[in-house]
Amino acid sequence: MDDGKLGETRLGWVGTGRMGYSLASRLVEAGCDLAVYNRTRSKAEPLAELGATVVASLSELKDREIVFTMVAGSDDFKEVVLGPDGLLSAPDAAPRIIVDSTTVAPQASAQVRREAAERDVALLAAPVSGNPHVVAAGLLTFVVSGPQSAYPEVKPYLDLLGAGATYVGEGERARLAKICHNLLLGVVAQSLAEIVVLAEKGGIARADLLEFINGSVMGSMFTRYKTPAYVKLDYSPTFTPVLLRKDLDLGFELAREHEVPMPVAAAAREVIQAVIGRGFTEEDFARLLDLQAQASGLELVPEDAPVTDGLGELAEAVEAATGTRR
Amino acid sequence: MDDGKLGETRLGWVGTGRMGYSLASRLVEAGCDLAVYNRTRSKAEPLAELGATVVASLSELKDREIVFTMVAGSDDFKEVVLGPDGLLSAPDAAPRIIVDSTTVAPQASAQVRREAAERDVALLAAPVSGNPHVVAAGLLTFVVSGPQSAYPEVKPYLDLLGAGATYVGEGERARLAKICHNLLLGVVAQSLAEIVVLAEKGGIARADLLEFINGSVMGSMFTRYKTPAYVKLDYSPTFTPVLLRKDLDLGFELAREHEVPMPVAAAAREVIQAVIGRGFTEEDFARLLDLQAQASGLELVPEDAPVTDGLGELAEAVEAATGTRR
Amino acid sequence: MDDGKLGETRLGWVGTGRMGYSLASRLVEAGCDLAVYNRTRSKAEPLAELGATVVASLSELKDREIVFTMVAGSDDFKEVVLGPDGLLSAPDAAPRIIVDSTTVAPQASAQVRREAAERDVALLAAPVSGNPHVVAAGLLTFVVSGPQSAYPEVKPYLDLLGAGATYVGEGERARLAKICHNLLLGVVAQSLAEIVVLAEKGGIARADLLEFINGSVMGSMFTRYKTPAYVKLDYSPTFTPVLLRKDLDLGFELAREHEVPMPVAAAAREVIQAVIGRGFTEEDFARLLDLQAQASGLELVPEDAPVTDGLGELAEAVEAATGTRR
Amino acid sequence: MDDGKLGETRLGWVGTGRMGYSLASRLVEAGCDLAVYNRTRSKAEPLAELGATVVASLSELKDREIVFTMVAGSDDFKEVVLGPDGLLSAPDAAPRIIVDSTTVAPQASAQVRREAAERDVALLAAPVSGNPHVVAAGLLTFVVSGPQSAYPEVKPYLDLLGAGATYVGEGERARLAKICHNLLLGVVAQSLAEIVVLAEKGGIARADLLEFINGSVMGSMFTRYKTPAYVKLDYSPTFTPVLLRKDLDLGFELAREHEVPMPVAAAAREVIQAVIGRGFTEEDFARLLDLQAQASGLELVPEDAPVTDGLGELAEAVEAATGTRR
């Protein structure tokens, strides 16, 4: 731990799904005092071996100073905080700060924020950029909004959890920032499909084009970790077209509310809709590639090239540069 | 120099514009035997102080084994190689390999390739991803096509020049790959404009949104080095909308030739056309932001936040990770 | 009147705004037995001189067999039918059929439909295509949905009101059809702006291009009646961009519900959003032309050519062909 | 014939394909003095029975005052006029006016125009809007450009050929106008596909939606004559996606030359490209409907509704209104 004091704050964690578990373990391994709750307790148990306290009910977290939540969606998040057995259910005590990284609708978050504020509990919205592999590589980032005074206390823990956090203001702004992130993601996913197919029809292997793009100024963690899917045609779901469309739809709602035209995002959204319309609802949104190939008269076959998601290499580079494990 | 043998090959360099000068100096500083020609000789002179030989005519490069060319465009490139005083003008001798990083049309490159092949000279097309700042940070990458047998000889020098090279096959495929790269660039530039304006109308400072995006899985060198322009509204040209449109038009010509629909690229292209139609032909394509703001009823003002193009930090990280200066 | 029996049915009319007045007068002039209600009674009074009965309250229409409604929007429509003084407020009597041509949301219409059905009152949704000029020329058309058994009774009156009606099935399908119509309208409006500006930059007067288009296979009443606006640059509102966007938004809601991608409509929608974003909320959506011209570096000036909306000529042609006044 | 003098001018006609034959016969039937040439003479022979003179070589048309040309494309048009046996091949005589309705590239037309002008021959470009069915209904329209002084002489014959002509200025402007027309056509074709599928998924038969649209302010000859194809799923070619794309590509070339963004046309163009990419190159562009249905998870089946292309009815209406056969 960078700073011995980090271990003095009593922390809580709610939700040990795939990402939540991985994140919580980073806090425990860094020496934090962490109490963990998960609806299915067995999934949280292994954290006890690392040094966490696993509790049986949410109310046992009422005296934790900062509680992190990462659950399934808006309804679960409201239940966890405002429910009859939720974090605010004890009349005498409650966490000072709740940090939520669940994917929730801005309205749900705003409702929780209001009710929490009445109990003098600060809610920080803290959506993330990344998937479980990104977490494992220590490269997850957070975007945070809510009471400014609460942020400095939480920031050191977010730094332990990943590769950094950005505070973007009061209220639900972090939710907006995450939606903007996903608008860009949808656009880039389709643009990659377009250029990969164009290049392949021009005689360039997908692995080669993507190696070039990944090393170029346009390369991102996203282009790198989608590379195996686009090369190997592995469409096992990391994020379905239906979930991506949900974020785009939310983005367009906000764009209409704020009077912002989005021509490129709109074009991407209709292609994603066509992936869904053609029935690819359960697979990864990387099916965009498949649709693009069909529209170009190209039959795709998996390529045999050795490719990685680039995250291991990047994690090592960052570790070397900063001298710390991520 | 990684490998003492690199200094034994006699190299030539044609074109010491801003990027060419910077690249040539990297070879000299690495101990290569380099002869340099530039039409305006004075611009090449400082390389002599570093150890290069500055020559007065292209014909003096005829006995160089590998000659790199980086000139203004298709016409200059043809003149440099095929002209009456060009690299192939001496009947008795010629370089074995020419490596061209000029932005040229595939047709022009193909013509030079054919005529060079008749003299047993291999032409490697080697377009780059990056701008002079990227070169300076040692992060330039190359995509290469042409005779496969020539590539291994050239690869070590490309590694000295930047952060890596990808070989994508015979002929003009590297030109195609570069056009694909720029299609993605145009799309991302507009998508960034859309989300930055949406976020700002929702109360998030541009510097904050871009800090989040840059650290997120969507962050790229491109998003990082455009950040100062989008935050400070500095539209001094690095790449004009007219040049970007030229690449997109070339991309659409190829897309039609290969029967590939490009819905997202098409949407981006029309927005870039609108930037030109509104008269912003001489400034940077970052004017996309301005157009997007106007279409959203948002008056942009420069933000006072401290931002960098992220290249210095990245160069340090890579240096730390690899133990070499880039 | 084509058929003497048409005069025997007791009809009611609610709403004598610009279009409603014009339509109601057609029924009276054709010899129908019509009782009329309007919130501001004075606006309905002139119909009395033509032979209509002007009533002071909605409840006085309870014994009319068929009542036509054309009011301001969803709320007014619900009030007119379901309100405490509405058409269904009398416990002992109610119209057998209500024919609504108000622009209402499908949900509102469905609610009224349900409650009407409980009283054995059939609701026919009957949105229209046209504006007051189209009504005056006798060229308005209807699209109708609701109980199939009620349609044949109503059809002869719709024929009196304009140039025809199409029955498209049960429930709210006519509302969907109208939204489809307006999606096409938005697309054509922007496409016209694009080609008019392209032609003008190529040296063709707007009046000339539109004369050609209007006479061509692509010509429609819509292209004809927008011609004066596009030639004279008269942007006084017939339909604002905000109202058009509302219909497009409704169209996209339905497209998402039915899993239909709409690439061309999406492109049009973002341009219309940009018209709004630039502040043209109160003028006609013909401002699309202006935006398109600005994006093309073209300064528009009103043209002095003699143009008409083409409706008078068309009405005469139809009259000549059918031998009836429309 | 409206005017006895029309029969005094010596006319020529080149090209008796399906449309050319039909048009030429209208001139003969109206009493014009017409000499006809077709490469395959047998196709022109039936016109002799109507009263035309069928000639064996183009040079026999040298003393005709006005010659109409309607051949296969740019190359044939150049050959017909400028070729060694062409209309201008006799040194002593040539037609005063050539009226061309071939679909040719503006450059080819401009070349012929220049060479004709040197012989004091006026070239009027006169592209048409319509297909053979539209010709047969007397509803074809022309858009004309070229020497203004030649237009009044030709206008009466264009009126005989169809339903009117619009003069849009000097040079190749009529070609531009026709390209604009086809840009709109491509956009409307795809927009119709979008709304027809949306409506069908919402429970409305295609025949019903199109009946409503055709009678509405959005209805055009185009929407009417495509109705049978969209209802019956008859994709036998009237205009292939490849030909439509050619016109759109020409439109985008001109749009780039004139600096005009075309967002809606661009979206339509990429969908048309996808129809081609999926291999539908030989069928009608109405395949857009099929693609749209697939992208929406809708299986189309032909509908059994009685539909017509609406042209007969329209022709009758116009005839009734004007008192003349069209």
Side-chain angles (χ1 to χ4, degrees):
Chain A
M1 178 159 299
D2 295 12
D3 178 345
K5 292 179 189 163
L6 289 183
E8 295 174 9
T9 303
R10 291 166 56 78
L11 305 179
W13 191 278
V14 179
T16 56
R18 199 161 161 214
M19 280 182 76
Y21 182 90
S22 184
L23 287 167
S25 69
R26 295 179 76 87
L27 290 180
V28 184
E29 287 174 353
C32 293
D33 172 1
L34 189 73
V36 180
Y37 171 82
N38 194 57
R39 197 157 47 187
T40 307
R41 182 175 174 149
S42 60
K43 286 193 183 165
E45 288 294 0
L47 290 168
E49 292 165 32
L50 299 177
T53 307
V54 177
V55 302
S57 70
L58 284 164
S59 59
E60 294 180 57
L61 299 177
K62 69 179 179 182
D63 60 351
R64 293 276 147 175
E65 296 171 78
I66 303 173
V67 176
F68 296 85
T69 56
M70 193 173 220
V71 291
S74 295
D75 290 346
D76 283 6
F77 174 55
K78 286 199 279 188
E79 183 70 19
V80 157
V81 183
L82 307 179
D85 302 312
L87 292 170
L88 304 186
S89 61
D92 56 329
R96 276 191 300 112
I97 304 173
I98 296 172
V99 182
D100 178 59
S101 297
T102 306
T103 300
V104 302
Q107 294 85 338
S109 185
Q111 181 194 344
V112 173
R113 179 179 307 288
R114 274 193 311 274
E115 300 198 24
E118 286 169 14
R119 293 287 302 271
D120 284 327
V121 176
L123 172 64
L124 289 174
V128 300
S129 171
N131 59 25
H133 296 291
V134 175
V135 174
L139 295 168
L140 197 76
T141 55
F142 294 84
V143 58
V144 186
S145 65
Q148 188 157 17
S149 58
Y151 182 62
E153 254 188 287
V154 168
K155 178 74 164 57
Y157 299 103
L158 298 178
D159 287 345
L160 285 179
L161 289 170
T166 303
Y167 178 75
V168 295
E170 299 287 327
E172 300 312 321
R173 286 170 184 166
R175 312 290 188 188
L176 169 60
K178 178 63 191 293
I179 289 166
C180 287
H181 171 282
N182 281 2
L183 285 165
L184 179 60
L185 187 154
V187 165
V188 170
Q190 170 59 15
S191 186
L192 279 181
E194 294 177 7
I195 64 173
V196 162
V197 167
L198 175 57
E200 182 166 351
K201 290 203 81 173
I204 303 176
R206 297 192 298 277
D208 289 344
L209 184 82
L210 287 167
E211 180 188 305
F212 165 54
I213 294 291
N214 289 340
S216 81
V217 300
M218 302 312 300
S220 63
M221 264 193 272
F222 177 74
T223 66
R224 284 181 203 107
Y225 74 58
K226 291 317 279 184
T227 291
Y230 277 31
V231 170
K232 303 293 187 189
L233 309 182
D234 174 3
Y235 303 132
S236 35
T238 61
F239 195 43
T240 66
V242 175
L243 287 172
L244 179 52
R245 182 186 59 180
K246 193 177 144 194
D247 278 3
L248 298 188
D249 284 355
L250 212 41
F252 273 84
E253 264 181 48
L254 290 165
R256 288 309 89 106
E257 181 187 327
H258 291 302
E259 307 291 12
V260 176
M262 311 271 283
V264 164
R269 187 187 178 211
E270 296 312 301
V271 183
I272 291 159
Q273 176 58 57
V275 172
I276 295 170
R278 284 173 182 271
F280 299 112
T281 54
E282 305 300 319
E283 295 181 273
D284 196 64
F285 68 90
R287 270 282 175 197
L288 285 166
L289 179 69
D290 206 46
L291 189 65
Q292 174 67 21
Q294 286 176 32
S296 307
L298 175 68
E299 195 176 343
L300 293 173
V301 291
E303 291 180 2
D304 202 24
V307 287
T308 75
D309 65 8
L311 295 173
E313 297 85 332
L314 197 55
E316 280 173 30
V318 174
E319 187 180 345
T322 61
T324 58
R325 186 190 78 92
R326 284 281 167 185
Chain B
M1 179 160 299
D2 295 12
D3 178 346
K5 292 179 190 165
L6 287 184
E8 294 172 11
T9 304
R10 290 165 57 78
L11 305 178
W13 191 279
V14 180
T16 55
R18 201 163 158 210
M19 280 182 75
Y21 182 91
S22 184
L23 287 167
S25 69
R26 294 179 75 89
L27 291 180
V28 185
E29 286 173 354
C32 294
D33 173 1
L34 189 73
V36 180
Y37 171 81
N38 194 58
R39 196 157 49 186
T40 307
R41 181 174 176 149
S42 59
K43 286 193 183 167
E45 288 295 358
L47 289 168
E49 290 164 33
L50 299 176
T53 308
V54 177
V55 301
S57 70
L58 285 164
S59 59
E60 293 179 58
L61 299 178
K62 70 179 178 185
D63 59 352
R64 293 278 148 175
E65 295 170 80
I66 303 173
V67 175
F68 297 85
T69 55
M70 192 174 222
V71 291
S74 293
D75 290 346
D76 282 6
F77 174 56
K78 286 200 279 188
E79 182 71 19
V80 157
V81 182
L82 307 178
D85 303 312
L87 292 171
L88 304 185
S89 62
D92 56 330
R96 275 190 302 112
I97 304 173
I98 296 173
V99 182
D100 178 57
S101 298
T102 306
T103 300
V104 303
Q107 294 86 337
S109 185
Q111 181 194 344
V112 172
R113 178 179 308 288
R114 275 192 309 276
E115 300 198 23
E118 287 169 16
R119 292 285 304 275
D120 285 326
V121 177
L123 173 64
L124 288 174
V128 300
S129 170
N131 60 24
H133 296 291
V134 175
V135 174
L139 296 167
L140 198 77
T141 55
F142 294 84
V143 58
V144 185
S145 66
Q148 188 158 15
S149 58
Y151 182 61
E153 252 188 289
V154 167
K155 178 71 163 62
Y157 299 103
L158 297 178
D159 287 345
L160 284 179
L161 289 170
T166 303
Y167 177 76
V168 293
E170 300 287 325
E172 301 312 321
R173 287 170 183 165
R175 313 289 186 189
L176 169 59
K178 178 61 190 292
I179 288 167
C180 287
H181 170 283
N182 281 2
L183 284 165
L184 179 60
L185 186 154
V187 166
V188 171
Q190 170 59 16
S191 185
L192 279 181
E194 292 177 7
I195 64 174
V196 161
V197 166
L198 175 56
E200 182 166 351
K201 290 202 81 174
I204 302 176
R206 297 192 299 278
D208 289 344
L209 184 82
L210 287 167
E211 181 189 303
F212 166 55
I213 293 292
N214 289 339
S216 81
V217 300
M218 302 311 299
S220 63
M221 265 194 271
F222 177 74
T223 66
R224 285 181 203 107
Y225 73 58
K226 291 316 282 185
T227 291
Y230 277 31
V231 170
K232 303 294 187 189
L233 310 182
D234 173 3
Y235 302 132
S236 36
T238 61
F239 195 43
T240 67
V242 174
L243 288 172
L244 178 53
R245 181 186 61 180
K246 193 178 145 193
D247 280 2
L248 298 188
D249 284 356
L250 211 41
F252 272 85
E253 266 182 46
L254 291 164
R256 289 308 91 105
E257 182 187 326
H258 291 302
E259 307 291 11
V260 176
M262 311 270 282
V264 164
R269 187 187 180 211
E270 297 312 300
V271 183
I272 291 159
Q273 176 58 57
V275 171
I276 296 170
R278 284 175 182 268
F280 299 112
T281 53
E282 304 300 319
E283 294 180 272
D284 195 64
F285 68 90
R287 269 282 175 197
L288 285 166
L289 179 69
D290 206 47
L291 189 65
Q292 174 67 22
Q294 286 176 33
S296 308
L298 174 68
E299 194 177 344
L300 294 172
V301 291
E303 291 180 2
D304 203 24
V307 288
T308 76
D309 63 9
L311 295 172
E313 296 85 332
L314 196 55
E316 279 173 31
V318 174
E319 187 179 344
T322 60
T324 58
R325 186 190 77 94
R326 285 279 167 185
Chain C
M1 179 162 295
D2 293 12
D3 178 344
K5 293 179 189 162
L6 289 183
E8 294 172 11
T9 303
R10 293 166 55 79
L11 305 178
W13 192 279
V14 180
T16 56
R18 203 166 157 207
M19 281 182 76
Y21 181 90
S22 183
L23 287 166
S25 68
R26 295 179 75 88
L27 291 180
V28 184
E29 288 174 352
C32 295
D33 173 2
L34 190 72
V36 180
Y37 171 80
N38 195 58
R39 195 157 46 188
T40 307
R41 182 176 176 148
S42 60
K43 286 193 182 168
E45 288 294 359
L47 290 167
E49 291 165 33
L50 299 176
T53 307
V54 177
V55 301
S57 70
L58 284 165
S59 58
E60 293 179 55
L61 299 177
K62 70 179 178 184
D63 60 353
R64 293 277 148 176
E65 296 171 77
I66 304 173
V67 175
F68 296 85
T69 55
M70 192 174 221
V71 291
S74 294
D75 291 345
D76 282 7
F77 174 56
K78 285 200 279 188
E79 183 71 18
V80 157
V81 182
L82 306 179
D85 302 312
L87 292 171
L88 304 185
S89 60
D92 57 330
R96 276 192 299 113
I97 304 173
I98 296 173
V99 183
D100 178 58
S101 298
T102 305
T103 300
V104 303
Q107 294 86 336
S109 185
Q111 181 195 341
V112 172
R113 178 179 309 286
R114 274 193 309 275
E115 301 198 22
E118 286 169 15
R119 291 288 301 273
D120 285 325
V121 176
L123 173 64
L124 289 174
V128 300
S129 170
N131 60 24
H133 296 292
V134 175
V135 174
L139 296 167
L140 198 76
T141 55
F142 294 84
V143 58
V144 185
S145 66
Q148 187 157 16
S149 58
Y151 182 62
E153 253 188 288
V154 167
K155 178 74 163 57
Y157 300 101
L158 298 178
D159 287 345
L160 285 179
L161 289 170
T166 303
Y167 177 76
V168 294
E170 299 286 328
E172 300 312 319
R173 286 169 185 167
R175 312 290 187 189
L176 169 59
K178 178 62 190 291
I179 288 167
C180 288
H181 171 282
N182 280 2
L183 284 164
L184 179 59
L185 187 153
V187 166
V188 170
Q190 170 59 16
S191 185
L192 278 181
E194 293 177 7
I195 63 173
V196 162
V197 166
L198 175 56
E200 182 166 350
K201 291 202 80 174
I204 302 176
R206 296 192 299 277
D208 289 344
L209 184 81
L210 287 167
E211 181 189 304
F212 165 54
I213 294 292
N214 289 338
S216 81
V217 300
M218 303 311 300
S220 63
M221 265 193 272
F222 177 74
T223 66
R224 285 180 203 106
Y225 74 57
K226 291 316 279 184
T227 292
Y230 277 31
V231 170
K232 302 293 186 189
L233 310 181
D234 174 3
Y235 302 132
S236 35
T238 62
F239 195 43
T240 66
V242 174
L243 288 172
L244 179 52
R245 182 185 60 181
K246 193 179 145 193
D247 279 2
L248 298 188
D249 285 355
L250 211 42
F252 273 84
E253 265 182 46
L254 290 165
R256 291 306 92 107
E257 182 187 327
H258 291 302
E259 307 290 10
V260 176
M262 311 272 282
V264 163
R269 187 185 180 213
E270 297 313 301
V271 183
I272 291 159
Q273 176 58 57
V275 171
I276 296 170
R278 283 172 183 272
F280 299 111
T281 53
E282 304 301 319
E283 294 180 272
D284 195 64
F285 68 90
R287 270 283 174 197
L288 286 165
L289 178 70
D290 205 49
L291 189 65
Q292 174 68 20
Q294 285 176 33
S296 308
L298 174 69
E299 195 177 343
L300 294 173
V301 291
E303 291 180 3
D304 202 23
V307 288
T308 76
D309 64 8
L311 295 173
E313 296 86 331
L314 197 55
E316 279 173 33
V318 173
E319 187 179 345
T322 61
T324 58
R325 187 192 77 93
R326 286 277 169 191
Chain D
M1 178 159 299
D2 294 14
D3 177 346
K5 293 181 189 161
L6 288 183
E8 295 172 9
T9 303
R10 293 166 56 79
L11 304 179
W13 191 279
V14 180
T16 57
R18 201 166 158 209
M19 280 182 77
Y21 182 90
S22 183
L23 287 168
S25 69
R26 296 179 74 88
L27 291 180
V28 185
E29 287 175 352
C32 294
D33 173 1
L34 188 72
V36 179
Y37 171 82
N38 194 58
R39 197 157 47 187
T40 307
R41 183 175 172 148
S42 60
K43 287 193 183 166
E45 290 293 359
L47 290 168
E49 292 164 32
L50 299 176
T53 309
V54 177
V55 302
S57 70
L58 285 164
S59 59
E60 293 180 56
L61 299 177
K62 72 179 177 183
D63 60 352
R64 294 277 147 175
E65 295 169 79
I66 303 173
V67 175
F68 296 85
T69 56
M70 194 173 219
V71 292
S74 294
D75 290 347
D76 282 6
F77 174 56
K78 286 200 278 187
E79 183 70 18
V80 157
V81 182
L82 307 178
D85 302 313
L87 292 171
L88 304 185
S89 61
D92 57 330
R96 276 191 300 113
I97 304 174
I98 296 172
V99 182
D100 179 59
S101 298
T102 306
T103 299
V104 303
Q107 294 86 337
S109 185
Q111 181 194 342
V112 173
R113 179 180 306 287
R114 273 193 309 276
E115 301 198 24
E118 287 170 13
R119 292 285 302 272
D120 285 327
V121 176
L123 172 64
L124 289 174
V128 300
S129 170
N131 60 24
H133 296 292
V134 176
V135 175
L139 295 168
L140 198 76
T141 55
F142 294 84
V143 58
V144 186
S145 64
Q148 187 157 18
S149 58
Y151 182 63
E153 253 188 288
V154 167
K155 177 73 164 59
Y157 300 102
L158 298 178
D159 286 345
L160 285 178
L161 289 169
T166 303
Y167 178 76
V168 295
E170 301 285 328
E172 300 312 320
R173 285 169 186 167
R175 311 290 188 189
L176 169 59
K178 178 62 190 291
I179 289 166
C180 288
H181 171 281
N182 281 2
L183 285 165
L184 179 60
L185 188 154
V187 166
V188 171
Q190 169 59 16
S191 185
L192 279 181
E194 293 177 7
I195 64 173
V196 162
V197 167
L198 175 57
E200 183 166 348
K201 291 202 81 174
I204 302 176
R206 297 192 298 279
D208 289 343
L209 184 81
L210 287 166
E211 180 188 304
F212 165 54
I213 294 291
N214 289 339
S216 81
V217 301
M218 302 312 299
S220 62
M221 266 193 271
F222 176 74
T223 65
R224 285 182 202 108
Y225 73 58
K226 292 316 278 184
T227 291
Y230 278 31
V231 170
K232 302 293 186 189
L233 309 182
D234 173 4
Y235 302 133
S236 36
T238 61
F239 195 43
T240 66
V242 174
L243 287 172
L244 179 53
R245 182 185 60 180
K246 192 178 146 194
D247 279 2
L248 298 188
D249 285 355
L250 211 43
F252 273 85
E253 264 182 46
L254 290 165
R256 291 305 92 107
E257 182 187 327
H258 290 302
E259 308 290 13
V260 175
M262 312 272 282
V264 164
R269 187 187 179 211
E270 297 312 301
V271 183
I272 291 159
Q273 176 58 57
V275 172
I276 296 170
R278 283 172 182 271
F280 300 111
T281 54
E282 304 300 319
E283 294 181 273
D284 196 64
F285 68 90
R287 270 282 175 197
L288 286 166
L289 179 69
D290 206 48
L291 189 66
Q292 174 68 21
Q294 286 176 33
S296 308
L298 175 68
E299 194 176 344
L300 293 173
V301 291
E303 291 179 4
D304 202 24
V307 288
T308 76
D309 64 8
L311 295 174
E313 295 86 330
L314 197 54
E316 279 172 33
V318 174
E319 188 180 342
T322 61
T324 58
R325 187 190 77 93
R326 284 282 167 184

